[in-house]
Amino acid sequence: MLGERIPLRRVKTMRKTLSGKNMLNNFLKEHAYRLSQISFHGSNLTIHPLRNIRDLFYMGNITIGTPPQEFLVVFDTGSSDLWVPSDFCTSPACSKHFRFRHLQSSTFRLTNKTFSIEYGSGTMEGIVAHDTVRIGDLVSTDQPFGLSMTESGFEGIPFDGVLGLNYPNISFSGAIPIFDKLKNQGAISEPVFAFYLSKDEQEGSVVMFGGVDHRYYKGELKWVPLIEAGDWIVHMDCISMRRKVIACSGGCEAVVDTGVSMIKGPKTLVDNIQKLIGATLRVSTHNKDLQVDTLPSITFTINGINYRVPARAYILKDSRGCCYSSFQETTVSPSTETWILGDVFLRLYFSVFDRGNDRIGLARAV
């Protein structure tokens, strides 16, 4: 049982739109802040429920403080910092989310260290504090975390904050990530976490800590070593369609990123894939007549194993039932060809992030 690994775009796209704020607000009213399942702990494995919002966001509850205050966060393998909005944030985004009321926590401790993070859809500036943080039955005392002082770009986003699960070396705040602190405290038996992401907005998505529940995948886990310890990035052999290589022709890097909805890559290669599948980009007119069943699968070959992504997985529908491609261009251009394998890929493949062995495990999700 093992786990973990992921990388580089501090500039990540947390989708600004759920096709309009009204739709998002209505959705959240219908699914009021409640989580039907409770975090399950057994045999040193903590299974924590995640809520699937329109196949775009997977969020879970955590609490901070004494007595506990509840927040909805994205469990994000692409970053390393935990942050939530603060009481002293006056940005419009903060007023639309739950804010941490530090004066109501008896275990709160403030520092004078400030930091900022830039994402694809917005930025946050904050200050480092310490308090008790709980993920289900996992408790990290005196956990450093960020309190946002200003936020921009997160106004229409359904979650309050972000819980980063990447390596400590890419933390913007310099604080020890909660997974590392739990590991160091002995709260987690094995230095591993894993994700099962549900399809079609269904319930049942989970993040698990301390081991792997084999009921969530079929066959055996295929292990992929990280390119280097310190980021959840692996080597990808190629991307192909109908047995022809269409991208990553000489090998490339793949970031395994639970905090990104789509599959992202360099603009020229993404444009070529859009042409090959005849799809329309989200920014252009939607293609209502797209016959999804007639489109070919796209295969991502990693460590010699083929991971097929069929058209029904990479063609998504919006609220009007229009189809659009989940392939998007990255907002940064690293020197080496880099693809981000987001939730579109991870819905198909159960993913294990193994910090103990610096590798990622993949298997077909149930």
Side-chain angles (χ1 to χ4, degrees), residues 23-38:
M23 193 176 80
L24 171 58
N25 290 339
N26 293 340
F27 183 90
L28 290 176
K29 272 181 201 141
E30 287 165 31
H31 303 71
Y33 278 82
R34 50 120 190 115
L35 223 37
S36 53
Q37 312 107 306
I38 303 301

Side-chain angles (χ1 to χ4, degrees), residues 140 143 168 176-189 191 355:
S140 177
Q143 171 67 45
I176 180 170
I178 187 166
F179 184 80
D180 288 80
K181 196 153 186 305
L182 289 167
K183 180 165 62 83
N184 297 348
Q185 288 172 191
I188 292 173
S189 55
R355 279 287 297 277

